[in-house]
Amino acid sequence: MSNNLVIDNLHISVEGQPIIKGLNLAVKQGEIHALMGPNGSGKSTLANALMGHPFYEVDSGEVTFDGEDILGLEPNERARLGLFLAFQYPTAVPGVSMANFLRMAVSAVRAENSNGGETTELIPMREFRRELRDKMKRLGIDESFARRYLNDGFSGGEKKRAEVLQLAMLEPKIAILDETDSGLDIDAVRIVGESVSQLIGSELGVLIITHYPRLLNYIRPEFVHILLDGKIVESGGWELAQLLEDEGYDPIREKYGIAPL
């Protein structure tokens, strides 16, 4: 059975304010989906809630992963099942190298019995270094990158490449990419897009969350969904992304009677 992320009639609020208002979506392992919507439509709220961020309150609805209800699970438990979130604004962690962070994260995700704490048995250093070098070479990342502190002093593009490296090392079944193109120039978008494309295959399903179609030129989705006012109002193929590129969101707002934010 493939690993499916299924969202059924999901309602999410932030500090009592409804943001997601009955969202339905299914992403299968091996599929590429794009969720597009203007700023304020609820895209990042959905991404963070799916990964278990406590700031976002799930009021009702269901989210299952491979048939298992994940709403009651902690973020590390969701990660161990095979769910991954690349953040829109990755946090800097001075004093913690990329390599040490990745070794801890990979060990916690792969361990048969792990609470995500200090008791997690680390994978052997030689094995980890070999795998890390292989992944960095595949992604065209210099080995010195692993010795730098996590996102500390990184440019926008470097932060997003660090997220892609985490994706490569953790090998999730479903990856949620929350506005990975945010704050990047054209060249950085191309580099990140091409890097993600190298990782996509039958074992990885991807939900790309964005409001600009430019990243989708490098990661071509099979399915495109438009999110407005907390709901998916239209779903289709690549033609929907092209429509947004040509006309923007206003015609769709008018079609469904949704006022601009």
Side-chain angles (χ1 to χ4, degrees):
M1 180 178 179
S2 62
N3 293 280
N4 303 343
L5 176 67
V6 179
I7 305 167
D8 183 21
N9 195 28
L10 189 64
H11 292 253
I12 304 169
S13 61
V14 176
E15 297 181 337
Q17 178 68 34
I19 304 296
I20 297 296
K21 307 169 185 177
L23 189 143
N24 298 285
L25 180 64
V27 180
K28 296 181 180 180
Q29 193 174 12
E31 293 181 345
I32 305 174
H33 292 247
L35 181 65
M36 306 185 68
N39 288 330
S41 58
K43 303 186 301 301
S44 291
T45 293
L46 174 66
N48 282 282
L50 289 176
M51 207 65 213
H53 194 302
F55 182 71
Y56 302 89
E57 183 176 352
V58 175
D59 300 312
S60 62
E62 294 183 347
V63 180
T64 59
F65 187 77
D66 197 19
E68 180 175 352
D69 180 9
I70 67 170
L71 290 180
L73 301 181
E74 296 296 323
N76 64 295
E77 294 174 312
R78 302 183 196 201
R80 289 189 62 213
L81 285 177
L83 198 60
F84 173 88
L85 172 62
F87 293 100
Q88 181 178 1
Y89 302 110
T91 300
V93 186
V96 178
S97 71
M98 278 288 301
N100 286 338
F101 169 78
L102 285 170
R103 189 181 181 208
M104 286 291 298
V106 171
S107 299
V109 165
R110 295 182 186 176
E112 292 185 6
N113 296 296
S114 170
N115 60 8
E118 296 178 358
T119 58
T120 300
E121 183 177 350
L122 297 178
I123 64 176
M125 179 61 77
R126 181 175 296 181
E127 176 185 336
F128 171 75
R129 283 178 174 171
R130 181 173 59 250
E131 184 176 350
L132 181 59
R133 287 194 188 103
D134 289 345
K135 295 292 174 60
M136 294 180 77
K137 183 178 180 180
R138 179 181 176 185
L139 296 171
I141 299 175
D142 190 272
E143 289 187 14
S144 63
F145 196 74
R147 296 191 291 271
R148 298 174 63 183
Y149 294 148
L150 181 63
N151 295 322
D152 189 25
F154 283 20
S155 68
E158 287 175 330
K159 288 181 179 180
K160 299 308 172 71
R161 296 196 78 189
E163 295 282 285
V164 175
L165 180 57
Q166 293 172 45
L167 169 59
M169 290 296 294
L170 292 173
E171 298 180 335
K173 297 165 184 172
I174 300 290
I176 303 166
L177 309 182
D178 185 16
E179 303 217 25
T180 303
D181 53 347
S182 179
L184 302 186
D185 61 28
I186 294 175
D187 289 336
V189 169
R190 174 184 57 79
I191 291 171
V192 170
E194 290 176 349
S195 296
V196 173
S197 293
Q198 292 184 57
L199 304 177
I200 291 174
S202 61
E203 299 300 312
L204 176 64
V206 179
L207 175 61
I208 306 166
I209 295 177
T210 185
H211 59 272
Y212 289 126
R214 58 183 182 174
L215 182 62
L216 307 184
N217 291 323
Y218 304 100
I219 312 172
R220 183 65 68 92
E222 304 162 82
F223 309 95
V224 177
H225 313 278
I226 298 177
L227 178 67
L228 288 176
D229 194 30
K231 293 183 179 181
I232 292 177
V233 296
E234 286 198 13
S235 295
W238 177 246
E239 73 281 354
L240 274 183
Q242 292 178 309
L243 178 67
L244 291 178
E245 176 75 16
D246 295 336
E247 301 182 6
Y249 291 99
D250 285 343
I252 299 175
R253 285 193 183 100
E254 294 175 5
K255 178 179 178 180
Y256 292 96
I258 298 172
L261 294 173

